[in-house]
């Protein structure tokens, strides 16, 4: 029981971070935000808590707050690859496409072949209606994670927008 554990160990940042992750998976984003904020207050110098809170802010569609947290986390540790991916996603949603592409490219320079970086860059290209680039990035991501259903459906969605419906159906059937 995580609630009881939180009462017993109120200063355990890892406990609050784990609770937040579970709550986010359950779709309880506001509760997840409360818990990851507690973890961040307990360990203010841990950039991973800010990264996680940025993801929760994205779930809540509070993209500016997500960017702010990712900025803080990257100041603490500029090699946190997933922070660049998370910030790129938020920037794409804010229509800062150049910022999103720059961050996705930075993530790929730090960790070549990272499927998440290809995914967010492909998503950004799709928002820009650059479907060939979006398709290429999703295809690169799929090469790295062949069983990731989100990548197949993401590329399928791009094919729908393009429109290349036969390819969309093929990807959705994967």
């Amino acid at each position: 029981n995580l609630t009881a554990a939180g009462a017993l160990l109120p200063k355990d940042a890892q406990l609050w971070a784990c609770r937040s992750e579970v709550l986010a998976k359950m779709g309880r984003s506001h509760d997840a935000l409360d818990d990851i904020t507690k973890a961040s207050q307990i360990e203010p110098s841990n950039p991973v808590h800010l990264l996680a809170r940025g993801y929760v802010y994205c779930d809540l569609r509070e993209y500016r707050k997500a960017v702010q947290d990712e900025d803080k986390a990257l100041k603490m540790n500029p090699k946190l690859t997933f922070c660049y991916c998370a910030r790129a996603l938020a920037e794409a949603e804010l229509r800062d496409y150049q910022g999103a592409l720059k961050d996705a490219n930075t993530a790929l320079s730090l960790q070549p072949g990272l499927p998440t970086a290809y995914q967010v860059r492909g998503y950004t290209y799709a928002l820009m209606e650059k479907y060939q680039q979006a398709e290429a990035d999703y295809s690169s991501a799929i090469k790295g994670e062949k069983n990731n259903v989100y990548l197949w459906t993401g590329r399928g969605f791009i094919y729908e927008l393009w429109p290349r419906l036969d390819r969309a159906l093929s990807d959705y059937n994967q």
Side-chain angles (χ1 to χ4, degrees):
N1 183 329
L2 289 176
T3 302
L8 290 172
L9 302 166
K11 298 286 186 192
D12 187 334
Q14 187 61 33
L15 171 69
W16 294 109
C18 288
R19 276 177 47 104
S20 175
E21 186 176 341
V22 170
L23 289 165
K25 288 178 181 177
M26 295 172 66
R28 294 174 53 188
S29 298
H30 289 284
D31 294 329
L33 179 62
D34 291 343
D35 282 6
I36 198 61
T37 298
K38 287 177 188 171
S40 186
Q41 290 167 343
I42 294 165
E43 292 181 349
S45 62
N46 187 336
V48 175
H49 299 319
L50 292 170
L51 165 64
R53 191 167 70 180
Y55 278 120
V56 174
Y57 278 132
C58 280
D59 286 345
L60 293 168
R61 298 176 189 247
E62 295 185 36
Y63 302 113
R64 290 194 199 299
K65 290 181 180 179
V67 169
Q68 289 171 353
D69 273 358
E70 305 309 342
D71 286 345
K72 290 176 193 173
L74 287 166
K75 284 179 184 166
M76 291 180 199
N77 183 346
K79 294 190 179 195
L80 279 176
T81 309
F82 283 96
C83 274
Y84 290 103
C85 294
R87 188 169 70 180
L89 174 62
E91 289 166 333
E93 292 294 348
L94 291 168
R95 297 192 189 335
D96 177 7
Y97 302 133
Q98 295 314 310
L101 293 173
K102 180 181 177 200
D103 278 346
N105 288 332
T106 299
L108 285 167
S109 72
L110 289 170
Q111 191 172 339
L114 181 66
T116 304
Y118 282 121
Q119 180 182 20
V120 73
R121 192 172 72 180
Y123 178 70
T124 302
Y125 281 133
L127 293 175
M128 298 170 69
E129 298 181 6
K130 294 184 176 188
Y131 300 122
Q132 284 183 303
Q133 292 98 321
E135 175 195 30
D137 277 344
Y138 269 91
S139 295
S140 293
I142 288 168
K143 286 178 188 172
E145 290 186 10
K146 289 180 175 43
N147 295 321
N148 185 329
V149 67
Y150 297 108
L151 297 176
W152 288 100
T153 56
R155 191 174 71 178
F157 182 67
I158 289 163
Y159 287 141
E160 272 191 72
L161 295 173
W162 203 330
R164 296 194 173 177
L165 300 180
D166 56 328
R167 290 185 181 182
L169 185 59
S170 175
D171 276 8
Y172 291 148
N173 286 334
Q174 292 294 322

